[in-house]
């Protein structure tokens, strides 16, 4: 089938950038991204392309090029479903906060709503693509809903997980390591796979487009995230041992990363990984393993999360201990709130948990992040429900200048690896601080020797 109309349900961090790139690379395909969230759609349609709701390097240029030509953002979900030949589901799949599987399983209510809506509206055959990250065998449930509540039309379900990382979404989408498409082994299933392969083939080399059965594709996504997160927890575990033994985790990571079997990527020790997916996807994997009675498998992967929680707690404990066992009424400057550089996303950012621990110790937190608003910082803390929103507001202030955030602070915590932090005038920052002036570099990005020569007391991770 030659594809001319695509729709994507969910205009978030995956749906927005992914569809923008498809639209840019396939000008012959009309791509409509729909969402229930009117504010988000309005932002995607903002005349000033710098106001689109997601910050990703290079994204606004692509949106500027394709929007209004063959890329559309809309709240009219029904119309978009009705017209599309391929429907991507890119809605959120958070960890369940209620009922069976609470705190572990993926909450599939948004996925099910999409399936029911597609079933209700579709009047001709459609290819439905799982773009969201889902538990293995979810396609079975989607198929059952579509086949039993639909208008008798034929649906093919494909799994096409997304591997982009935030902050590098555009380059990841333009030059993916691989595109994974899982589908049914029947003739119709293979035809559906080919239709989607043809879309990606507009810019992705054929040898990078991998096709598998649906279950392998669904499980590969959870596996990839589990392996990536495991590397971070592994290096973070070594960082604690380095601190006890005089080894330097940066040197250890370099030494092991030169082994071509290990490789150098994803070996940066840190205050702990954040982001909306690693924790959620591993918890989901643990839940699935447990549901099959595979307790050793579940325990093995759960340890990745336990180690990450430990690393965050260890960082805040160390700050308090180093600051003479009290941070009460001390000003602590946070450089960075986003979960990594080059994104405005703060979901599960380590900064939130470090701030929460320090507010419990009655510290005053001063935040500077180049892309995160003060409203978002407070909303993240309120979401934890540790204390009232008034109390959070009384203890946390955001600044639009790093120098103001650090002025008269007792200590600085570097929590996101924004490049601009390295280029600051650290002498000026030092001059404005309380003495002794401490830097806790949760990302190991600053030059220790240079800071110590200014007079800072510097503590990195794992050295
Ligand atoms: P998101 O929260 O940014 O976006 C999801 C959007 O879906 C929201 O705007 C929400 O309003 C919308 N939505 C929910 N239900 C809807 C419905 N019934 N109809 C219309 N719109 C609806 O989430 P995200 O970060 O884009 O993640 C989406 C999925 O992709 C998740 O499963 C995630 O695990 C996966 N994923 C995310 C990333 C990432 O970097 N963020 C990378 C790869 C995979
Ligand atoms: C991650 C994966 O890298 C993507 O392939 C995947 O598509 C995505 O999850 C998803 O499924 O949502 P993302 O979370 O956006 O992408 O960003 P990463 O670059 O993986 O970073 C995650 C966290 O780990 C960040 O907090 C980062 O600072 C931290 N990290 C990363 C480290 O602490 N050390 C490292 O060496 C690498």
């Amino acid at each position: 089938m030659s594809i001319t109309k695509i729709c994507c349900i969910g205009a978030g961090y995956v749906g927005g950038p992914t569809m923008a790139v498809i639209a840019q690379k396939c000008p012959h395909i009309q791509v409509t991204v729909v969402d229930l969230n009117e504010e988000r759609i309005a932002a995607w349609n903002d005349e000033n392309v710098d106001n689109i709701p997601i910050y990703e390097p290079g994204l606004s240029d692509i949106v500027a090029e394709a929007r209004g030509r063959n890329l559309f953002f809309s709240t009219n979900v029904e119309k978009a479903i009705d017209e599309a030949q391929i429907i991507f589901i890119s809605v959120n799949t958070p960890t369940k906060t209620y009922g069976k599987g609470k705190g572990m399983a993926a909450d599939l209510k948004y996925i099910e709503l999409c399936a029911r809506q597609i079933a209700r509206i579709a009047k001709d055959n459609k290819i439905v693509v799982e773009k969201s990250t889902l538990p293995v065998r979810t396609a079975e449930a989607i198929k059952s809903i579509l086949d039993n509540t639909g208008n008798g039309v034929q649906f093919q379900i494909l799994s096409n997980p997304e591997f982009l990382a935030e902050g590098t979404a555009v380059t990841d989408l333009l030059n993916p390591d691989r595109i994974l498409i899982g589908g049914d082994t029947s003739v119709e299933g293979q035809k559906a796979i080919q239709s989607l392969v043809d879309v990606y083939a507009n810019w992705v080399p054929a040898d990078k487009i991998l096709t598998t059965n649906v279950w392998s594709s669904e499980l590969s996504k959870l596996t990839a995230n589990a392996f990536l997160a495991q590397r971070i927890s592994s290096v973070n575990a070594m960082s604690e041992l380095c601190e006890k033994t005089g080894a330097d985790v940066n040197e250890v990571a370099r030494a092991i990363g030169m082994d071509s079997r290990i490789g150098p990527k994803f070996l940066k020790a840190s205050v702990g990984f954040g982001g909306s997916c690693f924790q959620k996807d591993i918890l989901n994997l643990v839940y699935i393993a447990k549901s099959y009675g595979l307790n050793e498998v579940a325990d093995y992967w759960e340890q990745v999360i336990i180690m990450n929680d430990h690393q965050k707690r260890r960082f805040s404990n160390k700050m308090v201990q180093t600051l003479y066992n009290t941070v009460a009424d001390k000003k602590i400057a946070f450089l960075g709130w986003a979960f990594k550089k080059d994104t405005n996303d703060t979901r599960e950012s380590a900064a939130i948990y470090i701030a929460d621990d320090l507010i419990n110790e009655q510290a005053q937190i001063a935040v500077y992040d180049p892309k995160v608003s003060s409203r978002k910082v407070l909303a993240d803390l309120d979401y934890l429900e540790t204390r009232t929103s008034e109390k959070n507001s009384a203890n946390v202030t955001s600044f639009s200048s790093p120098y103001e955030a650090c002025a008269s602070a007792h200590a600085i915590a570097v929590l996101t690896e924004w490049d601009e932090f390295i280029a600051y005038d650290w002498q000026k920052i030092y001059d404005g601080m309380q003495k002794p002036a401490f830097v806790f570099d949760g990302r190991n990005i600053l030059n220790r020797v240079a800071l110590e020569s200014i007079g800072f007391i510097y503590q990195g991770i794992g050295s």
Side-chain angles (χ1 to χ4, degrees):
M1 178 171 30
S2 159
I3 302 300
T4 54
K5 282 191 178 165
I6 285 178
C7 134
C8 173
I9 309 178
Y13 282 87
V14 167
T18 309
M19 293 302 128
V21 167
I22 292 183
Q24 189 205 30
K25 293 292 175 187
C26 311
H28 56 288
I29 300 179
Q30 180 182 311
V31 181
T32 307
V33 193
V34 291
D35 204 295
L36 297 173
N37 183 333
E38 290 178 8
E39 205 185 326
R40 210 165 207 185
I41 291 297
W44 278 113
N45 283 324
D46 198 296
E47 245 170 69
N48 180 351
V49 86
D50 291 333
N51 293 338
I52 57 174
I54 287 164
Y55 172 72
E56 278 291 339
L59 181 59
S60 56
D61 291 343
I62 293 180
V63 171
E65 179 188 332
R67 198 178 56 182
R69 178 188 72 188
N70 64 325
L71 175 65
F72 302 92
F73 294 93
S74 164
T75 51
N76 194 340
V77 182
E78 300 201 354
K79 179 165 180 276
I81 291 175
D82 181 33
E83 291 179 350
Q85 297 153 294
I86 299 186
I87 302 162
F88 286 86
I89 303 181
S90 283
V91 301
N92 35 331
T93 49
T95 305
K96 261 186 104 176
T97 53
Y98 55 89
K100 191 160 175 273
K102 177 179 174 181
M104 295 217 105
D107 190 342
L108 298 180
K109 71 180 173 197
Y110 305 109
I111 296 286
E112 177 160 345
L113 277 171
C114 289
R116 288 187 183 278
Q117 198 166 18
I118 295 168
R120 188 163 50 75
I121 293 162
K123 294 192 237 21
D124 52 6
N125 297 350
K126 309 267 185 213
I127 298 171
V128 176
V129 183
E130 299 174 344
K131 188 50 121 176
S132 299
T133 303
L134 296 170
V136 57
R137 295 202 80 87
T138 303
E140 200 167 36
I142 295 181
K143 187 154 180 46
S144 167
I145 292 168
L146 290 174
D147 288 349
N148 291 302
T149 53
N151 305 320
V153 300
Q154 296 295 311
F155 293 102
Q156 280 300 322
I157 324 273
L158 301 179
S159 160
N160 171 221
E162 184 48 60
F163 295 101
L164 70 80
E166 290 180 29
T168 53
V170 169
T171 45
D172 293 345
L173 288 164
L174 291 173
N175 306 296
D177 283 347
R178 79 309 208 178
I179 294 290
L180 179 59
I181 302 173
D184 202 271
T185 45
S186 63
V187 174
E188 293 74 26
Q190 294 301 305
K191 276 191 195 156
I193 290 179
Q194 193 55 45
S195 298
L196 190 54
V197 167
D198 290 344
V199 172
Y200 283 109
N202 282 292
W203 78 98
V204 180
D207 61 347
K208 291 199 168 179
I209 305 179
L210 194 65
T211 60
T212 64
N213 78 31
V214 188
W215 320 130
S216 304
S217 172
E218 288 177 336
L219 189 55
S220 297
K221 174 63 196 178
L222 293 182
T223 309
N225 273 359
F227 270 58
L228 289 168
Q230 182 199 42
R231 276 174 77 97
I232 304 170
S233 278
S234 297
V235 79
N236 281 344
M238 299 322 283
S239 76
E240 191 169 14
L241 192 54
C242 284
E243 287 167 27
K244 295 281 181 220
T245 55
D248 179 333
V249 77
N250 300 313
E251 293 177 351
V252 173
R254 183 142 188 264
I256 65 164
M258 285 172 77
D259 184 326
S260 61
R261 294 168 301 174
I262 296 175
K265 292 182 182 167
F266 261 71
L267 286 180
K268 255 195 126 356
S270 69
V271 58
F273 61 74
S276 62
C277 293
F278 279 170
Q279 173 164 308
K280 147 178 104 63
D281 292 347
I282 293 177
L283 288 172
N284 185 6
L285 191 64
V286 169
Y287 183 75
I288 294 168
K290 277 194 180 149
S291 68
Y292 286 104
L294 308 179
N295 293 329
E296 289 77 8
V297 177
D299 291 350
Y300 176 77
W301 287 110
E302 192 166 18
Q303 201 58 36
V304 173
I305 304 290
I306 293 171
M307 189 64 225
N308 197 50
D309 286 341
H310 170 68
Q311 188 76 347
K312 289 183 271 187
R313 184 70 23 92
R314 194 167 84 73
F315 186 85
S316 48
N317 284 346
K318 205 166 158 195
M319 284 184 75
V320 176
Q321 263 168 27
T322 310
L323 293 168
Y324 314 105
N325 287 313
T326 176
V327 288
D329 300 326
K330 287 182 180 167
K331 180 179 176 184
I332 313 286
F334 275 28
L335 291 183
W337 189 266
F339 82 98
K340 63 183 285 198
K341 73 172 179 180
D342 294 337
T343 178
N344 59 352
D345 194 350
T346 63
R347 290 177 288 182
E348 291 299 325
S349 179
I352 304 170
Y353 297 93
I354 306 302
D356 193 50
D357 285 349
L358 296 179
I359 299 170
N360 282 341
E361 295 293 330
Q362 302 189 353
Q364 287 291 329
I365 313 287
V367 180
Y368 168 75
D369 186 291
K371 291 288 172 197
V372 180
S373 68
S374 61
R375 199 169 62 126
K376 188 82 189 79
V377 169
L378 287 171
D380 287 339
L381 285 165
D382 290 350
Y383 187 75
L384 294 183
E385 294 184 347
T386 313
R387 62 190 74 75
T388 63
S389 172
E390 289 70 33
K391 178 84 180 116
N392 282 329
S393 305
N395 282 62
V396 180
T397 315
S398 291
F399 291 84
S400 53
S401 142
Y403 297 96
E404 279 172 33
C406 297
S408 62
H410 291 258
I412 295 170
V414 179
L415 296 169
T416 312
E417 69 279 29
W418 287 101
D419 291 337
E420 64 172 65
F421 297 166
I422 299 163
Y424 287 169
D425 181 345
W426 282 94
Q427 181 69 55
K428 183 173 160 190
I429 290 177
Y430 179 80
D431 291 343
M433 286 177 67
Q434 308 273 351
K435 307 296 175 326
F438 293 85
V439 172
F440 299 91
D441 187 352
R443 296 294 184 161
N444 288 351
I445 55 167
L446 300 178
N447 183 330
R448 172 183 210 132
V449 175
L451 290 190
E452 286 179 347
S453 75
I454 290 172
F456 279 105
I457 299 176
Y458 175 95
Q459 280 192 5
I461 302 275
S463 60

